[in-house]
Amino acid sequence: MTRILLYLTAGLTLAAQNVVSPEVAADGRVTFRLAAPKAADVLFYGDWMPVGTSKPMAKGANGVWSITTEPLTPSVYIYHFVVDGVTMADPVNPRMKLRARTSASLLEVPGDGNAVWQARNVPHGTVEINYQKSKVLNGETRWVWIYTPPGYAASGSRKFPVLYLFHGSNDTAGGWVLAGHANFILDNLIAEKKAEPMIVVMPFGHAVPFGSPRELQAKNVDVYEQYLLEDVMPMVRAKYRIAGTRAKTAIAGLSMGGGQSLGIGMKHLDLFSAIGSFSAAVPQGLENNIEALKKANPLLWVACGKEDSLFQRSADLAAKLKAAGVNHTWQATPGAHTYTVWRQYLAEFAPLLFH
Amino acid sequence: MTRILLYLTAGLTLAAQNVVSPEVAADGRVTFRLAAPKAADVLFYGDWMPVGTSKPMAKGANGVWSITTEPLTPSVYIYHFVVDGVTMADPVNPRMKLRARTSASLLEVPGDGNAVWQARNVPHGTVEINYQKSKVLNGETRWVWIYTPPGYAASGSRKFPVLYLFHGSNDTAGGWVLAGHANFILDNLIAEKKAEPMIVVMPFGHAVPFGSPRELQAKNVDVYEQYLLEDVMPMVRAKYRIAGTRAKTAIAGLSMGGGQSLGIGMKHLDLFSAIGSFSAAVPQGLENNIEALKKANPLLWVACGKEDSLFQRSADLAAKLKAAGVNHTWQATPGAHTYTVWRQYLAEFAPLLFH
């Protein structure tokens, strides 16, 4: 036992071993703790707080810093510490928010366990990690996360509609599952017969390296479009039982991925019958698609939180669509630029699809 | 663009944004960097170094600490920083080593790209994350990572052998994929016809909470055995096309998981025809199974690195097996308690299975 413990605790101080963080109280208050006896200054940031702000943590006599929040609405949140200027995930919390750079930690405030993003007692779909050597991306092997609905493996020759679902900047192909709980949201909607059983395809959205110089970064949407159309979509057609028609194919995304879904979706209205834009980084030049949109008349669903600094870009898009007489839905909702908002958007958008 | 950058960089200092870490040179030397201008002392640990040691990092004029290694053998390694006593992952490296507690970072030294654990230009299997509400574990929803071999979805009614493959203490169900590259190892062996196409089932090995008090922790093997037999194995039988016979079912694991595979495998010789023990935390009392082992005569494969502090436990087990006349293989290899060793063990063990 002693020798096993050596491996368990390698690199950890005794204080860090005993720290509990995060700790969620019954009333929804959450306490975060960090053992950092030598630190002079420890700050806390959680994504329910305004972007760019932080709160000081208090140092205890044992060298453990802590902070307790007000009661939080049940959700999955993202947070990090800043220890003497160094941004870090919570070292004792196993739930990581993986990112393209600078990972953080996840906090779940469970509430009654019956929210649409939680694992209810319903049949669960499967999240499949597909590895693919990309022709477009110079032979790089990339993963694509793909949700298949409950019963997919045993459903014989039945074919399913497909939602291509994109994450935001500085996120990963797993973001919509690990932080967004897209799989549980679909499980729950399907169990309640509120959404069609569907396949959800989640590629990695950084076709050029994350953090590239501005000129290269500007090419990301075009390279990603080519990667999606020439690598990802052919793999999905070859491997999964999909309907494959325009009526049964949708595209949506959040933030950067919302911009990608608008740009690619409007450019390929022959492929996609529905476009979802969640708190999007709305690209320039979408007005060039107005006539095509009126002709193809896709389901076009645009939403953004009023506390989101990107709000005006979605509001401007919605105003242009309205002025031009393009059918669309525009939802100006409460909330900021967080997965708490995006989980709700997916739960509202998915039931509209594939009828 | 400016508003997008706000989200990309929230919480990051300018120095941290520009840091490159890790950086692998052509000769295999690796440089690690951390922006920590206010830190007084920054240490580095990588799992190619002896357990319990560390090396000091040097502070540059810009507040960025760094260290450069000697040339490293191509592999995937695990490392972390200790900043004024606080253990942390590399904040700018997206590849995390997820753990039950205290995540760290992964470093890949690629070499020529043709190692058995690398994504070669061969057909890839799929890694499927299954979510299951566990009856044994009081209704907790757990994930089980399952590798299906290339072509599985299109293989009609063909049935496959199954390897149950367990991770070590303070790891996760994804460890054998994300750090162990078990999927790429199987892909490569299958492409070379060195291993049978097989399904690999990877559950989460902590049936009682990680870090439980010693009395509860001692129950982990028994509760995990029940979880495996009553939740995981029935799900696998119901959902996947498996042969299901003893001849086509194997069990193996590393460290804690090696102990689990020895304990559960020897107790259920009617279910498993092969047992793999990789650097195992060998449990007490295995000698009670000697007569049953001689009768059932499973493929019993025991290996441990000579620099592993657990080495003597495997050596003692092998000596007992030999003295009792139980057929087995005993491999005392170079190496310590690391995935560098375990990837090699899997690459040696898998080809022996299911003939």
Side-chain angles (χ1 to χ4, degrees):
Chain A
M1 180 55 108
T2 309
R3 281 181 291 192
I4 296 294
L5 278 174
L6 183 65
Y7 293 111
L8 304 189
T9 60
L12 276 185
T13 61
L14 192 61
Q17 290 171 41
N18 298 327
V19 164
V20 175
S21 179
E23 183 174 27
V24 182
D27 66 355
R29 285 175 214 269
V30 185
T31 300
F32 301 89
R33 299 183 182 91
L34 176 73
K38 297 177 190 168
D41 180 51
V42 181
L43 303 174
F44 175 86
Y45 175 74
D47 71 349
W48 59 90
M49 295 159 49
V51 173
T53 66
S54 63
K55 289 190 175 177
M57 295 176 72
K59 188 175 187 177
N62 54 359
V64 175
W65 300 70
S66 67
I67 186 171
T68 298
T69 69
E70 293 299 295
L72 295 176
T73 306
S75 190
V76 177
Y77 298 101
I78 300 169
Y79 70 96
H80 65 247
F81 302 134
V82 184
V83 183
D84 288 339
V86 179
T87 299
M88 62 184 288
D90 184 338
V92 304
N93 179 356
R95 287 192 66 177
M96 301 294 304
K97 173 67 187 78
L98 299 178
R99 288 191 179 136
R101 191 174 163 102
T102 61
S103 297
S105 293
L106 292 172
L107 157 73
E108 182 163 340
V109 180
D112 65 3
N114 206 35
V116 71
W117 49 267
Q118 286 180 303
R120 295 181 191 156
N121 191 14
V122 299
H124 295 303
T126 306
V127 176
E128 307 188 6
I129 306 178
N130 285 268
Y131 295 87
Q132 181 185 32
K133 188 175 280 279
S134 163
K135 290 190 295 282
V136 172
L137 304 175
N138 302 315
E140 187 185 333
T141 298
R142 293 217 156 186
W143 64 10
V144 183
W145 289 48
I146 297 184
Y147 167 86
T148 57
Y152 174 80
S155 62
S157 60
R158 179 175 171 184
K159 294 181 174 182
F160 292 83
V162 177
L163 168 62
Y164 290 88
L165 185 62
F166 305 152
H167 62 77
S169 189
N170 201 5
D171 203 338
T172 78
W176 261 112
V177 170
L178 300 174
H181 289 204
N183 54 317
F184 295 138
I185 292 170
L186 269 295
D187 290 345
N188 292 331
L189 295 172
I190 292 167
E192 291 187 321
K193 299 193 186 305
K194 288 182 178 170
E196 291 286 314
M198 68 183 77
I199 289 170
V200 183
V201 178
M202 296 162 280
F204 181 49
H206 291 287
V208 306
F210 175 77
S212 293
R214 180 181 285 233
E215 281 184 24
L216 182 56
Q217 189 62 47
K219 295 180 179 166
N220 189 56
V221 176
D222 288 344
V223 182
Y224 181 68
E225 175 187 343
Q226 192 185 356
Y227 166 64
L228 180 73
L229 267 64
E230 297 179 19
D231 282 322
V232 177
M233 292 179 74
M235 180 271 283
V236 171
R237 282 194 294 269
K239 182 168 173 182
Y240 291 88
R241 283 178 276 110
I242 68 166
T245 60
R246 173 181 185 270
K248 299 295 186 186
T249 310
I251 189 168
L254 70 88
S255 193
M256 175 185 83
Q260 291 168 334
S261 70
L262 288 168
I264 299 170
M266 290 186 185
K267 193 168 165 185
H268 298 281
L269 290 163
D270 55 323
L271 297 178
F272 305 103
S273 62
I275 302 170
S277 170
F278 305 169
S279 316
V282 178
Q284 304 289 323
L286 290 183
E287 49 273 20
N288 297 334
N289 301 296
I290 293 289
E291 291 311 311
L293 282 167
K294 289 168 84 165
K295 192 173 170 192
N297 196 29
L299 188 161
L300 179 52
W301 195 90
V302 180
C304 196
K306 294 177 199 168
E307 302 159 59
D308 190 320
S309 72
L310 292 179
F311 179 79
Q312 199 53 48
R313 292 167 74 168
S314 284
D316 290 349
L317 171 63
K320 286 181 192 171
L321 293 170
K322 187 176 181 186
V326 175
N327 286 330
H328 70 286
T329 298
W330 162 232
Q331 306 264 51
T333 73
H337 205 71
T338 71
Y339 266 110
T340 300
V341 167
W342 301 321
R343 282 186 290 265
Q344 188 56 40
Y345 288 176
L346 180 62
E348 291 178 26
F349 179 68
L352 307 175
L353 298 176
F354 311 129
H355 301 300
Chain B
M1 182 53 111
T2 309
R3 279 181 294 194
I4 296 293
L5 277 175
L6 182 66
Y7 293 113
L8 304 190
T9 59
L12 277 187
T13 61
L14 190 62
Q17 289 171 41
N18 298 326
V19 164
V20 175
S21 181
E23 183 175 25
V24 182
D27 66 355
R29 286 175 213 270
V30 185
T31 300
F32 302 88
R33 298 183 182 90
L34 176 74
K38 297 177 191 168
D41 180 51
V42 181
L43 303 174
F44 175 85
Y45 174 75
D47 71 349
W48 59 91
M49 295 160 49
V51 173
T53 66
S54 64
K55 289 189 176 178
M57 293 176 73
K59 189 176 186 176
N62 55 359
V64 175
W65 299 70
S66 67
I67 186 171
T68 299
T69 68
E70 292 300 296
L72 295 176
T73 306
S75 189
V76 176
Y77 298 101
I78 301 169
Y79 70 96
H80 65 248
F81 302 134
V82 184
V83 183
D84 288 340
V86 179
T87 299
M88 62 184 290
D90 184 338
V92 303
N93 179 356
R95 288 192 66 177
M96 301 293 303
K97 173 65 187 80
L98 300 177
R99 290 193 179 132
R101 191 174 162 101
T102 61
S103 296
S105 294
L106 291 172
L107 156 72
E108 182 163 340
V109 179
D112 66 3
N114 206 35
V116 71
W117 49 269
Q118 286 179 303
R120 296 181 191 157
N121 190 14
V122 299
H124 295 304
T126 307
V127 176
E128 307 189 9
I129 306 178
N130 286 268
Y131 296 86
Q132 180 185 32
K133 190 176 277 281
S134 163
K135 292 190 294 283
V136 171
L137 303 175
N138 302 315
E140 187 185 333
T141 299
R142 292 218 158 185
W143 64 10
V144 184
W145 289 48
I146 298 184
Y147 167 87
T148 57
Y152 174 80
S155 61
S157 61
R158 179 175 171 184
K159 294 182 173 180
F160 291 83
V162 178
L163 168 63
Y164 290 88
L165 185 62
F166 305 152
H167 63 76
S169 188
N170 201 6
D171 203 337
T172 78
W176 261 113
V177 170
L178 299 173
H181 290 205
N183 54 318
F184 295 139
I185 292 170
L186 268 296
D187 291 345
N188 293 331
L189 294 172
I190 292 167
E192 292 188 320
K193 299 194 186 305
K194 288 183 179 169
E196 291 286 314
M198 66 182 78
I199 290 170
V200 183
V201 177
M202 296 162 280
F204 181 49
H206 291 287
V208 306
F210 176 76
S212 293
R214 179 180 287 234
E215 280 184 24
L216 182 55
Q217 190 61 46
K219 294 180 180 166
N220 188 56
V221 176
D222 287 344
V223 182
Y224 181 70
E225 174 187 344
Q226 193 185 355
Y227 165 64
L228 180 74
L229 268 64
E230 297 179 18
D231 283 322
V232 178
M233 292 179 75
M235 180 271 282
V236 171
R237 281 194 294 269
K239 182 168 173 184
Y240 291 88
R241 284 178 275 110
I242 68 166
T245 60
R246 173 182 186 271
K248 299 295 185 185
T249 310
I251 189 168
L254 69 87
S255 193
M256 175 185 84
Q260 291 168 334
S261 69
L262 287 169
I264 299 170
M266 289 186 186
K267 193 167 165 186
H268 298 281
L269 290 163
D270 55 323
L271 297 178
F272 305 103
S273 61
I275 302 170
S277 169
F278 306 168
S279 317
V282 178
Q284 303 289 324
L286 290 184
E287 49 272 21
N288 297 334
N289 301 297
I290 293 288
E291 290 311 312
L293 281 168
K294 290 168 81 164
K295 191 171 171 193
N297 196 28
L299 188 160
L300 180 52
W301 195 90
V302 180
C304 196
K306 294 177 199 170
E307 301 158 60
D308 190 320
S309 72
L310 292 178
F311 178 79
Q312 199 54 47
R313 291 166 76 168
S314 284
D316 289 350
L317 171 62
K320 285 180 192 170
L321 293 170
K322 187 176 181 185
V326 175
N327 286 331
H328 70 286
T329 298
W330 162 231
Q331 304 265 51
T333 73
H337 205 72
T338 71
Y339 266 110
T340 299
V341 167
W342 301 321
R343 283 187 289 265
Q344 188 56 41
Y345 289 175
L346 180 61
E348 292 178 26
F349 180 67
L352 306 176
L353 298 176
F354 310 130
H355 299 301

